[in-house]
Amino acid sequence: MSDVPEKLAALFPPDRADALVALRRDLHRHPELSFAETRTAGALERALAPLRPASIDRVAGTGVVARIRGRDPGAPVVAVRGDIDALPIHEATGLEYASVHDGVMHACGHDVHASWAVGAAHLLAERPAAGDVLVVLQPAEETGTGAAAILASGALDDVRAIFGAHVDRRFAVGEVVAQAGPLAAAADDFFVELLGRGAHGARPHESADPVVGAAALVTALQTIVSRRVNPAIPAVVTVATLQAGTAPNVIAERATMSGTLRAVDPATRTLLASEVRRIADGIAAAHGLTANVRIDLGPPPIVNPERPAAWARTAAESLLGADAIVPLGITNMGGEDFAYYMERIPGCFLRVGAREPGGAPTPAHTPQYHAAEASLFVGAAVLAESARVASAALAGGERA
């Protein structure tokens, strides 16, 4: 049933490997949306219970946090995180364990993330870290709200370092990105309402047309990245929705649009938001309209610090060899709410190869997305070993 990478075979005997694969397939077959992961949380609790953790707690509604005992009760506590929610997408993979919930699927690999966190718990129970390790199974990553809810619960108040990872089909199974520096972007949303004056379609001079203003605004917003952001700094402004009007012969009174702002540094993040407001107000004034702008802040950027990244890299190299460590090779403008943890706790976020031999680099958040099963074992082993390396370093007096 399982396909364990050769270098990790000793860590995953058949019974353990098959159990993790069965868990992954069960979660994939029964996906649940953000903060609705009730069945998922129950399945994960049942998978963890045989390990006899020091505690298993429900937090943030549908989150699960299990404490795996370390060798020294007084040693610093570290954490590993797996996210558990799915997306509102209709699955088209054709898998025998495809989603049974129409319009909901694990199109971002969180079924693997949840399962490899359980796998890491098994490995840590068998060979403990210096201190306790919290295995965090987090809801609602896709809405960017789950990590903040876990933090607000207080469950991680004593954690000194945290590690997480994401499957990535741009990389083959067995390859791991464990590097310092930017790994994901801030992901903020903007909403613009343009209010004008409606009229008959035959008499446009009697209107203040928000559709014309909206068209001008869509174009003008593209100048933020091309003319206001330093070309050496990555940034994205995307208009994703645009609505106005009810009939072809009626000039609407209102137009709305929304989109996303992506940046990898705080100054650029602030600039993008202020420019959306400035340009929207200016375009509205030029067309005799009123602009109402709202910016909803999402996760901040992920910037891996040097020491935690070195711990994770050491862990991955010890398991897979130096050749397995690969550079990200791009600037990733995707958002990831693991960044909220890293605002308070030193840590490292990794990318774990999930492309099977001969497979295509299928993008996430698509109906065809599927992470290769063998990535499950790589993620579990690397996260468990990262926790051990970090725990030993912190217990020895190192600073993250």
Side-chain angles (χ1 to χ4, degrees):
M1 184 177 182
S2 59
D3 185 18
V4 181
E6 183 178 350
K7 291 182 178 180
L8 303 178
L11 300 177
F12 297 97
D15 287 353
R16 178 181 296 165
D18 289 348
L20 289 177
V21 168
L23 175 63
R24 181 275 173 110
R25 293 185 179 186
D26 179 66
L27 297 180
H28 191 94
R29 187 178 287 114
H30 301 281
E32 295 173 303
L33 297 176
S34 300
F35 285 127
E37 310 96 331
T38 304
R39 183 189 183 280
T40 300
L44 294 168
E45 284 178 322
R46 289 190 295 275
L48 289 165
L51 301 178
R52 300 188 180 277
S55 60
I56 304 180
D57 298 311
R58 282 286 184 102
V59 298
T62 50
V64 177
V65 177
R67 182 179 287 261
I68 306 300
R69 294 179 181 86
R71 300 188 307 275
D72 177 2
V77 177
V78 301
V80 297
R81 173 271 216 169
D83 39 6
I84 68 174
D85 55 329
L87 284 159
I89 295 174
H90 182 77
E91 183 161 357
T93 61
L95 293 166
E96 61 177 293
Y97 51 92
S99 171
V100 299
H101 300 317
D102 188 43
V104 183
M105 77 169 283
H106 273 294
C108 201
H110 296 187
D111 53 328
V112 176
H113 300 172
S115 301
W116 73 26
V118 171
H122 275 267
L123 297 175
L124 288 162
E126 182 176 72
R127 186 163 70 86
D132 290 357
V133 178
L134 299 188
V135 176
V136 181
L137 294 155
Q138 178 211 301
E141 189 281 328
E142 295 294 356
T143 59
T145 53
I150 293 285
L151 287 167
S153 76
L156 307 189
D157 284 355
D158 61 345
V159 171
R160 294 276 303 279
I162 188 166
F163 297 88
H166 203 296
V167 287
D168 195 327
R169 285 189 62 90
R170 288 170 297 182
F171 304 101
V173 169
E175 294 181 329
V176 176
V177 177
Q179 65 188 44
L183 204 84
D188 303 326
D189 295 331
F190 69 89
F191 303 85
V192 180
E193 178 186 55
L194 295 176
L195 300 175
R197 186 172 62 255
H200 194 293
R203 304 181 185 92
H205 63 289
E206 296 177 354
S207 75
D209 191 343
V211 174
V212 174
L217 180 55
V218 170
T219 302
L221 290 175
Q222 309 312 306
T223 66
I224 297 175
V225 173
S226 67
R227 289 297 179 271
R228 297 292 295 144
V229 176
N230 183 334
I233 299 174
V236 173
V237 175
T238 294
V239 179
T241 71
L242 179 60
Q243 289 98 23
T246 57
N249 61 347
V250 176
I251 294 176
E253 294 186 343
R254 177 176 179 267
T256 63
M257 67 179 66
S258 65
T260 186
L261 308 174
R262 309 282 174 140
V264 297
D265 68 284
T268 303
R269 187 186 194 189
T270 300
L271 174 67
L272 296 183
S274 65
E275 286 297 298
V276 168
R277 295 184 185 280
R278 184 183 68 83
I279 292 173
D281 287 342
I283 293 291
H287 290 80
L289 308 170
T290 299
N292 297 313
V293 180
R294 187 178 93 236
I295 308 291
D296 288 354
L297 296 180
I302 288 182
V303 182
N304 286 334
E306 290 286 348
R307 288 307 304 153
W311 294 336
R313 190 165 54 251
T314 297
E317 286 183 357
S318 70
L319 293 165
L320 301 165
D323 291 345
I325 309 304
V326 296
L328 183 61
I330 62 167
T331 300
N332 177 31
M333 301 307 290
E336 166 57 66
D337 81 347
F338 190 85
Y340 286 120
Y341 298 123
M342 292 180 60
E343 284 189 317
R344 288 175 46 179
I345 307 167
C348 182
F349 196 70
L350 304 96
R351 308 294 288 193
V352 172
R355 188 181 74 248
E356 66 281 350
T362 313
H365 289 220
T366 63
Q368 296 78 28
Y369 187 79
H370 176 256
E373 208 130 71
S375 65
L376 168 61
F377 308 107
V378 178
V382 170
L383 286 177
E385 188 63 15
S386 295
R388 292 190 193 100
V389 173
S391 182
L394 291 167
E398 281 192 41
R399 298 175 62 88

